Amino acid sequence: MGSELLTVAEVSNMLRVSKMTIYRMVHSGELTHVRVGRSFRIPADAVRSILGSRINGDQFHV
């Protein structure tokens, strides 16, 4: 895979939203994820992509 995997808590801190918002994004398919047991891990590249789209003015719904 080659990308660092982040926890839901780490991603919520990076995006400054609640953990529930990240779970909603994962379940809606808006945020790429990997399932590890009962936990979700989000590739750092997926978070960078979301941050990049926000910087470029695109909207994503949280």
Side-chain angles (χ1 to χ4, degrees):
M1 190 175 211
S3 179
E4 178 184 7
L5 296 175
L6 304 169
T7 66
V8 169
E10 290 170 332
V11 174
S12 71
N13 287 333
M14 291 173 74
L15 297 179
R16 297 184 189 260
V17 297
S18 72
K19 288 191 290 186
M20 185 48 96
T21 298
I22 301 303
Y23 283 116
R24 282 190 202 109
M25 292 173 73
V26 163
H27 289 293
S28 72
E30 198 170 351
L31 191 56
T32 305
H33 67 282
V34 175
R35 192 91 192 234
V36 180
R38 293 181 59 188
S39 301
F40 293 105
R41 295 294 183 264
I42 296 100
D45 292 341
V47 178
R48 285 188 206 101
S49 175
I50 292 232
L51 289 173
S53 69
R54 292 221 63 203
I55 290 170
N56 293 329
D58 297 339
Q59 294 293 319
F60 70 94
H61 302 288
V62 289

